[in-house]
Amino acid sequence: MRVTILGSGSDGNALLLESGTTSVLVDAGLSHRKLVQRFTALGRDAPNNVEAVIVTHSHTDHAAHASTYATRFDCPIRASEATIASIRLRPTVQAHPFTVGRPLVVGDITIHSSSLPHDAPQVALVFETKGTRVGLVTDLGHVPEGLEGFLGECETLLLESNHDPDMLAMGPYPEALKRRVGGSLGHLSNGEAGDLLAALTHAPRRVVLMHLSETNNSAQLARSSAEAALGHQGTELLLAQQRRPLELDARQDGHEGQLQLSL
Ligand SMILES: [Zn+2]
Ligand SMILES: [Zn+2]
């Protein structure tokens, strides 16, 4: 499965997942214009065969452009019932809810979902095709019980590492926002992301740190926390950015992939 992260962070999130025959966009927080620009930066055209726009939750950095994407790519929006109920969609757009916990099949990709603790109904997603699994876990205030099991055997894990608690505490955010971000329904800190990585019984071959705060985190802090948690397991560690796309090399997918970059 090829994963392209078009942007990740509180200014807007969007990803493209492509199996052999199926393409899905996940989250719609970048304007369509920005989305096209990000593909151009990668030397690619925007896809013309998107089968669904999957929205993890209703916050604007994930859902603001859902109607536009559905119209432009001529496909339905798929999201949990709670999310569809709380986002404003154009009446012409098709929105089909899925039930959290029940597999959703889109083309040859099966999508598993599990609830996450956040200040809007939110889901962790695992995308599965031909034995390859990609996990997406962002926008959670803490790691809920059972998440490690849900993510079992993901080869690629896209995991929030939002903030450094000290930078958040000393930073410019108003107190109420600091409490929200750092609270149990806010965002995952570097340390909490590391704890989850350390608890995984099956080390992913690749971890991408997501949704880094541009104000309350640094790439260095996020990276060193994740590296410490992963130890020397040969896991490739990458960082997604807010303003630049990141294309994960499809050749590294699948069980046969031998290219493992050490930390
Ligand atoms: Zn977000
Ligand atoms: Zn959110």
Side-chain angles (χ1 to χ4, degrees):
M1 191 157 15
R2 175 155 77 158
V3 179
T4 307
I5 300 163
L6 287 319
S8 178
S10 56
D11 266 359
N13 297 271
L15 298 90
L16 177 70
L17 274 79
E18 298 160 283
S19 70
T21 57
T22 305
S23 299
V24 294
L25 280 162
V26 184
D27 282 334
L30 298 175
S31 69
H32 182 262
R33 190 172 62 88
K34 268 193 191 159
L35 191 76
V36 171
Q37 283 171 353
R38 302 288 162 94
F39 280 111
T40 305
L42 293 167
R44 295 169 59 182
D45 293 328
N48 56 12
N49 59 342
V50 176
E51 288 196 25
V53 175
I54 295 160
V55 177
T56 58
H57 67 299
S58 61
H59 287 160
T60 53
D61 57 322
H62 299 260
H65 304 281
S67 287
T68 302
Y69 284 20
T71 305
R72 292 277 191 156
F73 295 103
D74 191 22
C75 66
I77 293 168
R78 308 299 310 261
S80 71
E81 286 145 3
T83 295
I84 285 188
S86 55
I87 52 179
R88 193 176 301 166
L89 295 170
R90 283 181 216 144
T92 50
V93 162
Q94 283 188 51
H96 303 312
F98 62 76
T99 303
V100 179
R102 276 212 210 134
L104 163 71
V105 177
V106 179
D108 65 359
I109 303 179
T110 301
I111 302 158
H112 307 272
S113 55
S114 179
S115 291
L116 289 176
H118 193 46
D119 48 4
Q122 163 64 332
V123 286
L125 297 173
V126 169
F127 301 85
E128 184 171 19
T129 184
K130 298 188 195 84
T132 302
R133 289 163 60 91
V134 174
L136 173 66
V137 179
T138 71
D139 298 71
L140 65 167
H142 63 276
V143 173
E145 209 174 318
L147 184 60
E148 300 97 285
F150 176 72
L151 296 172
E153 309 215 354
C154 278
E155 300 201 359
T156 296
L157 176 58
L158 315 175
L159 174 64
E160 174 165 75
S161 191
N162 177 257
H163 61 274
D164 172 76
D166 291 336
M167 283 182 74
L168 177 65
M170 317 275 263
Y173 279 14
E175 286 308 313
L177 186 54
K178 287 182 183 181
R179 278 196 298 277
R180 190 211 142 219
V181 170
S184 66
L185 297 178
H187 290 274
L188 215 59
S189 70
N190 295 340
E192 290 167 318
D195 290 347
L196 175 61
L197 290 175
L200 294 173
T201 49
H202 176 97
R205 282 202 299 113
R206 173 167 54 197
V207 170
V208 184
L209 301 181
M210 306 283 286
H211 217 300
L212 268 72
S213 169
E214 293 186 300
T215 308
N216 306 308
N217 209 351
S218 75
Q220 214 173 1
L221 286 170
R223 176 178 284 279
S224 61
S225 175
E227 279 178 355
L230 287 165
H232 299 285
Q233 302 180 78
T235 300
E236 181 188 11
L237 183 64
L238 300 166
L239 271 69
Q241 295 186 46
Q242 179 69 79
R243 286 159 219 293
R244 275 202 202 145
L246 176 66
E247 194 174 35
L248 305 188
D249 187 347
R251 284 172 303 168
Q252 291 177 47
D253 278 320
H255 293 298
E256 75 287 354
Q258 266 106 41
L259 180 58
Q260 290 197 1
L261 304 178
S262 70
L263 300 170

